Amino acid sequence: MRILVVEDTEVLGQAICDRLSSLGHGADLICDGKQAHEFLRYQSVDLVILDLNLPNVSGLQILQSLRQREDATPVLILTARDQVDDRIRLLDAGADDYLTKPFDFGELEARCRALLRRQQGYASNVTEHGNITVDRDSRQVLVDKEVRAITNREFRLLEIFLGHLGRVLSKDDITEHLFNFDETPGPNAIELYVARLRKKLAGSDLVISTLRGIGYVAEIAPTRKRS
C-alpha cells in the first residue's frame, strides 16, 4: 500500500521506507513538517507514519489538520514521549496508534499491518475470499489450501484488488497504491503485474476483469463445487 513516512531524521526515515518497500509497499519519505502538511492536503495515502518533532510544522499539527478536515487516513505516531498523558493526548487528537522510540522494526511492521487491515475492514491478518486464503503475517497466499508463490509486489496488488472488490480501478489508481512517487513504472507495468497475478492464482475464485480503456474490476466468484 502507499505509505507516507514523515520523519526529520533522514537516516531513520529512509531505513523505514526501505523496510516497507522490501515488503512491496509504496513508501515515500518527507523530512519537513510544512512539506508533509501541504502534501497531505492534495495527495491521499493508505497510512501515515508520523514523527512528532518536525521542523516548521509539528506532527501534532499535521495530525490535527487531517482530522479537522475529516480525513480518516490511519496515522501511526513515532514519539520519544512515553508518559501516559502524552499518549492520551495523541489518541484524543486522532492518532490510531503510536510507537515509542527506539522501536523494533518487526513491531513497526506488525502495527502497520494492523492499521492497514482495519482500514480494509478485516478483524484478522488471515482472511478468506472464496477459495483464497491470505495470510498477511507470513505474506502467503493459498488457493484451495495450496500455497501459491507470489512476489511481495504481487501480494500488494492482490491486497489492492481485495480491498476494492466490485470497484473499477484505473491503472493510475493501482499505480498510486503500488509504487513510490519517485518510481517511474513503464506504460505496461500494471498490465504485466495483473497478468502475472492472474496466472499465479489460476483456479481461484478471484476474477479480475479488464475494462478496455477504463481499468480493472475484481470480484469473488460464487464458490464452485469441487470434487
Side-chain angles (χ1 to χ4, degrees), residues 3 16 19-20 23 25 46-50 74-79 87 91 95-119 122 125 136-137:
I3 300 175
I16 295 172
R19 185 77 174 236
L20 295 172
L23 299 175
H25 295 293
D46 297 297
L47 172 66
V48 179
I49 299 177
L50 181 63
V75 176
L76 170 62
I77 296 289
L78 301 180
T79 176
R87 301 176 204 167
L91 294 171
D96 296 275
D97 200 357
Y98 64 88
L99 197 55
T100 303
K101 297 179 181 178
F103 53 83
D104 179 82
F105 274 92
E107 183 178 3
L108 174 68
E109 291 174 18
R111 290 179 183 270
C112 289
R113 283 197 300 271
L115 291 175
L116 291 168
R117 181 192 73 217
R118 288 179 214 158
Q119 184 191 39
Y122 301 132
N125 275 333
R136 290 168 178 79
D137 286 330

Coordinates of all heavy atoms in Angstrom, one line a residue, residues 3 16 19-20 23 25 46-50 74-79 87 91 95-119 122 125 136-137:
I3 N 2.4 4.3 1.6 CA 2.6 4.8 2.9 C 3.5 6.0 2.9 O 4.5 6.0 2.2 CB 3.3 3.6 3.8 CG1 2.4 2.4 3.8 CG2 3.6 4.1 5.2 CD1 3.0 1.2 4.5
I16 N 13.2 3.1 7.4 CA 11.8 2.7 7.5 C 11.2 2.5 6.0 O 10.6 1.5 5.8 CB 10.9 3.7 8.2 CG1 11.3 3.8 9.7 CG2 9.4 3.4 8.1 CD1 10.7 4.9 10.5
R19 N 12.6 -0.6 4.5 CA 12.0 -1.8 5.0 C 10.6 -2.1 4.5 O 10.2 -3.2 4.1 CB 11.9 -1.7 6.6 CG 11.4 -2.9 7.3 CD 12.5 -3.9 7.5 NE 12.1 -5.0 8.3 CZ 12.7 -5.4 9.4 NH1 13.8 -4.8 9.8 NH2 12.3 -6.5 10.1
L20 N 9.8 -1.0 4.4 CA 8.4 -1.1 3.8 C 8.5 -1.5 2.4 O 7.6 -2.3 1.9 CB 7.7 0.2 4.1 CG 7.4 0.5 5.6 CD1 6.8 1.9 5.7 CD2 6.5 -0.5 6.2
L23 N 8.9 -5.0 1.5 CA 7.7 -5.8 1.7 C 6.6 -5.6 0.6 O 5.6 -6.1 0.6 CB 7.0 -5.5 3.0 CG 7.9 -5.8 4.2 CD1 7.2 -5.3 5.5 CD2 8.2 -7.2 4.3
H25 N 5.4 -2.5 -0.4 CA 4.6 -1.2 -0.2 C 5.3 -0.1 -1.1 O 6.5 -0.1 -1.3 CB 4.6 -0.8 1.2 CG 3.8 -1.7 2.1 ND1 2.5 -1.9 2.0 CD2 4.2 -2.5 3.2 CE1 2.1 -2.8 3.0 NE2 3.2 -3.1 3.7
D46 N -2.5 5.5 2.1 CA -3.2 4.5 2.8 C -2.8 4.5 4.3 O -3.6 4.1 5.2 CB -2.9 3.1 2.3 CG -3.4 2.9 0.9 OD1 -4.6 3.0 0.7 OD2 -2.5 2.7 0.0
L47 N -1.6 5.1 4.6 CA -1.1 5.1 6.0 C -0.1 6.2 6.1 O 0.7 6.4 5.2 CB -0.6 3.8 6.4 CG 0.2 3.7 7.7 CD1 -0.8 3.9 8.9 CD2 0.9 2.3 7.9
V48 N -0.1 6.9 7.2 CA 0.9 7.9 7.5 C 1.7 7.5 8.8 O 1.1 7.2 9.8 CB 0.3 9.3 7.8 CG1 1.4 10.3 8.1 CG2 -0.5 9.8 6.6
I49 N 3.0 7.4 8.7 CA 3.9 7.1 9.8 C 4.5 8.5 10.2 O 5.2 9.1 9.4 CB 4.9 6.1 9.5 CG1 4.3 4.8 9.2 CG2 5.9 5.9 10.7 CD1 5.3 3.7 8.8
L50 N 4.1 9.1 11.3 CA 4.3 10.5 11.6 C 5.2 10.7 12.8 O 4.7 10.3 13.9 CB 3.0 11.2 11.7 CG 2.9 12.7 12.0 CD1 3.6 13.4 10.8 CD2 1.5 13.1 12.2
P74 N -5.3 6.4 8.4 CA -4.7 5.9 9.6 C -3.4 6.6 9.8 O -2.6 6.8 8.9 CB -4.5 4.4 9.4 CG -5.5 4.0 8.3 CD -5.6 5.2 7.4
V75 N -3.1 6.9 11.1 CA -1.9 7.6 11.4 C -1.2 6.9 12.6 O -1.8 6.7 13.6 CB -2.1 9.1 11.8 CG1 -0.8 9.7 12.3 CG2 -2.7 9.9 10.7
L76 N 0.1 6.5 12.3 CA 0.9 5.8 13.4 C 1.9 6.9 13.8 O 2.7 7.3 13.0 CB 1.6 4.6 12.8 CG 2.6 3.9 13.7 CD1 2.1 3.4 15.0 CD2 3.3 2.8 12.9
I77 N 1.9 7.2 15.1 CA 2.8 8.3 15.6 C 4.1 7.6 16.1 O 4.1 6.6 16.8 CB 2.2 9.0 16.7 CG1 0.9 9.8 16.3 CG2 3.1 10.0 17.4 CD1 1.2 11.0 15.4
L78 N 5.2 8.2 15.7 CA 6.5 7.9 16.3 C 6.9 9.0 17.3 O 6.9 10.1 16.9 CB 7.6 7.8 15.2 CG 7.4 6.8 14.0 CD1 8.5 6.9 13.0 CD2 7.2 5.4 14.6
T79 N 7.1 8.6 18.5 CA 7.4 9.6 19.5 C 8.4 9.1 20.5 O 8.6 7.9 20.8 CB 6.1 9.9 20.3 OG1 6.4 10.8 21.4 CG2 5.4 8.7 20.9
R87 N 0.5 10.1 25.6 CA -0.2 9.1 24.8 C -1.7 9.4 24.7 O -2.3 9.3 23.6 CB 0.0 7.7 25.4 CG 1.4 7.2 25.5 CD 1.5 5.9 26.2 NE 2.7 5.7 26.8 CZ 3.0 4.7 27.7 NH1 2.0 3.9 28.0 NH2 4.2 4.6 28.2
L91 N -3.9 10.1 21.2 CA -5.0 9.3 20.8 C -6.3 10.2 20.7 O -7.1 10.1 19.8 CB -5.2 8.2 21.8 CG -4.1 7.1 21.8 CD1 -4.3 6.2 23.0 CD2 -4.1 6.4 20.5
A95 N -4.8 10.1 16.7 CA -3.9 9.1 16.3 C -4.5 7.7 16.4 O -5.3 7.5 17.3 CB -2.6 9.2 17.2
D96 N -4.2 6.9 15.5 CA -4.7 5.5 15.5 C -3.8 4.6 16.3 O -4.3 3.6 16.9 CB -4.8 4.9 14.1 CG -5.8 5.7 13.3 OD1 -7.0 5.4 13.4 OD2 -5.4 6.7 12.6
D97 N -2.5 4.9 16.4 CA -1.6 4.1 17.2 C -0.3 4.9 17.4 O -0.1 5.9 16.7 CB -1.3 2.8 16.5 CG -0.7 1.7 17.4 OD1 -0.5 2.0 18.6 OD2 -0.5 0.6 16.9
Y98 N 0.5 4.4 18.3 CA 1.8 5.1 18.5 C 2.9 4.1 18.8 O 2.6 3.0 19.2 CB 1.7 6.2 19.6 CG 1.4 5.6 20.9 CD1 2.5 5.1 21.8 CD2 0.1 5.4 21.4 CE1 2.2 4.5 23.0 CE2 -0.1 4.8 22.6 CZ 0.9 4.4 23.4 OH 0.6 3.8 24.6
L99 N 4.1 4.5 18.5 CA 5.3 3.6 18.8 C 6.3 4.5 19.4 O 6.7 5.6 18.9 CB 5.8 3.0 17.5 CG 6.7 1.8 17.5 CD1 6.0 0.7 18.4 CD2 7.0 1.3 16.1
T100 N 6.9 4.1 20.5 CA 7.9 4.9 21.2 C 9.3 4.6 20.8 O 9.6 3.4 20.6 CB 7.8 4.6 22.8 OG1 6.5 4.9 23.2 CG2 8.8 5.5 23.5
K101 N 10.1 5.6 20.5 CA 11.4 5.4 20.0 C 12.3 5.1 21.2 O 12.1 5.6 22.3 CB 12.0 6.7 19.4 CG 11.3 7.1 18.1 CD 11.9 8.4 17.6 CE 11.2 8.8 16.3 NZ 11.8 10.1 15.8
P102 N 13.3 4.2 21.1 CA 13.6 3.4 19.9 C 12.7 2.2 19.8 O 12.1 1.8 20.8 CB 15.1 3.0 20.2 CG 15.2 2.9 21.7 CD 14.3 4.0 22.2
F103 N 12.4 1.8 18.6 CA 11.5 0.7 18.4 C 12.1 -0.4 17.6 O 13.1 -0.3 16.9 CB 10.2 1.2 17.7 CG 10.5 1.9 16.4 CD1 10.7 1.3 15.2 CD2 10.6 3.3 16.4 CE1 10.9 1.9 14.1 CE2 10.8 4.0 15.2 CZ 11.0 3.3 14.1
D104 N 11.4 -1.6 17.6 CA 11.9 -2.7 16.8 C 11.1 -2.7 15.5 O 9.9 -2.4 15.4 CB 11.5 -4.0 17.6 CG 11.9 -5.2 16.8 OD1 13.1 -5.6 16.8 OD2 11.0 -5.8 16.1
F105 N 11.9 -2.9 14.4 CA 11.3 -2.8 13.1 C 10.2 -3.9 12.9 O 9.2 -3.7 12.1 CB 12.3 -3.0 12.0 CG 13.0 -1.6 11.6 CD1 14.1 -1.3 12.3 CD2 12.4 -0.8 10.7 CE1 14.8 0.0 12.0 CE2 13.0 0.4 10.4 CZ 14.2 0.8 11.0
G106 N 10.3 -5.0 13.5 CA 9.3 -6.1 13.4 C 8.0 -5.6 14.0 O 6.9 -5.8 13.5
E107 N 8.1 -4.8 15.2 CA 6.9 -4.3 15.8 C 6.3 -3.2 14.9 O 5.0 -3.1 14.7 CB 7.2 -3.7 17.2 CG 5.9 -3.2 17.9 CD 6.2 -2.7 19.3 OE1 7.4 -2.7 19.7 OE2 5.2 -2.3 19.9
L108 N 7.1 -2.4 14.3 CA 6.6 -1.4 13.3 C 5.8 -2.0 12.2 O 4.7 -1.6 11.9 CB 7.8 -0.6 12.8 CG 7.4 0.5 11.7 CD1 6.6 1.6 12.3 CD2 8.7 1.0 11.0
E109 N 6.4 -3.1 11.6 CA 5.7 -3.8 10.5 C 4.3 -4.3 11.0 O 3.3 -4.2 10.3 CB 6.5 -4.9 10.0 CG 7.8 -4.5 9.3 CD 8.7 -5.7 8.9 OE1 8.2 -6.8 8.9 OE2 9.8 -5.4 8.6
A110 N 4.3 -4.9 12.2 CA 3.1 -5.5 12.8 C 2.0 -4.4 13.0 O 0.8 -4.7 12.7 CB 3.4 -6.2 14.1
R111 N 2.4 -3.3 13.5 CA 1.5 -2.2 13.7 C 0.9 -1.6 12.4 O -0.2 -1.3 12.3 CB 2.1 -1.1 14.6 CG 2.3 -1.6 16.0 CD 3.0 -0.5 16.9 NE 3.2 -0.9 18.2 CZ 2.4 -0.8 19.2 NH1 1.2 -0.3 19.1 NH2 2.7 -1.2 20.4
C112 N 1.8 -1.6 11.4 CA 1.4 -1.1 10.1 C 0.4 -2.1 9.5 O -0.7 -1.7 8.9 CB 2.6 -1.0 9.1 SG 3.6 0.4 9.5
R113 N 0.7 -3.4 9.6 CA -0.3 -4.4 9.1 C -1.6 -4.3 9.8 O -2.7 -4.4 9.1 CB 0.3 -5.8 9.4 CG 1.4 -6.3 8.4 CD 1.6 -7.8 8.4 NE 2.0 -8.3 9.8 CZ 3.2 -8.3 10.2 NH1 4.2 -8.0 9.4 NH2 3.5 -8.8 11.4
A114 N -1.6 -4.1 11.1 CA -2.9 -4.0 11.8 C -3.7 -2.8 11.4 O -4.9 -2.9 11.2 CB -2.6 -3.9 13.3
L115 N -3.0 -1.6 11.2 CA -3.8 -0.4 10.8 C -4.3 -0.6 9.4 O -5.5 -0.2 9.1 CB -2.9 0.8 10.9 CG -2.5 1.2 12.3 CD1 -1.5 2.4 12.3 CD2 -3.7 1.6 13.1
L116 N -3.5 -1.1 8.5 CA -4.0 -1.3 7.1 C -5.1 -2.4 7.0 O -6.0 -2.2 6.3 CB -2.8 -1.8 6.2 CG -1.7 -0.7 5.9 CD1 -0.5 -1.3 5.3 CD2 -2.3 0.4 5.1
R117 N -5.0 -3.4 7.9 CA -6.0 -4.4 7.9 C -7.4 -3.8 8.4 O -8.4 -4.0 7.8 CB -5.6 -5.5 8.9 CG -6.6 -6.7 9.0 CD -6.2 -7.5 10.2 NE -6.4 -6.9 11.5 CZ -5.7 -7.0 12.6 NH1 -4.5 -7.6 12.5 NH2 -6.0 -6.4 13.7
R118 N -7.3 -3.0 9.5 CA -8.5 -2.4 10.0 C -9.1 -1.4 8.9 O -10.3 -1.3 8.8 CB -8.2 -1.6 11.2 CG -7.9 -2.4 12.5 CD -7.5 -1.5 13.6 NE -6.5 -2.1 14.5 CZ -5.8 -1.4 15.3 NH1 -5.9 -0.1 15.4 NH2 -4.9 -2.1 16.1
Q119 N -8.2 -0.7 8.2 CA -8.7 0.2 7.2 C -9.6 -0.5 6.1 O -10.5 0.0 5.6 CB -7.6 0.9 6.5 CG -8.0 2.0 5.5 CD -6.8 2.5 4.7 OE1 -6.0 1.7 4.3 NE2 -6.8 3.8 4.4
Y122 N -10.9 -5.7 8.0 CA -10.6 -7.1 8.4 C -10.3 -7.1 9.9 O -9.5 -6.3 10.4 CB -9.5 -7.7 7.6 CG -9.7 -7.7 6.1 CD1 -8.7 -7.2 5.2 CD2 -10.9 -8.2 5.6 CE1 -9.0 -7.3 3.8 CE2 -11.1 -8.2 4.2 CZ -10.2 -7.7 3.4 OH -10.4 -7.7 2.0
N125 N -5.5 -11.0 10.5 CA -4.4 -10.9 9.5 C -4.6 -12.1 8.5 O -3.9 -12.1 7.5 CB -3.0 -10.9 10.1 CG -2.6 -9.5 10.5 OD1 -3.0 -8.5 9.9 ND2 -1.7 -9.4 11.4
R136 N -1.5 -12.3 6.0 CA -0.7 -11.1 5.9 C 0.6 -11.1 6.8 O 1.5 -10.3 6.6 CB -1.5 -9.9 6.3 CG -2.5 -9.6 5.2 CD -3.6 -8.6 5.6 NE -4.5 -8.3 4.5 CZ -5.5 -9.1 4.2 NH1 -5.7 -10.2 4.8 NH2 -6.3 -8.8 3.1
D137 N 0.6 -12.0 7.8 CA 1.8 -12.1 8.7 C 2.9 -12.7 7.9 O 4.0 -12.3 7.9 CB 1.4 -12.9 9.9 CG 0.6 -12.1 10.9 OD1 0.8 -10.9 11.0 OD2 -0.2 -12.8 11.7

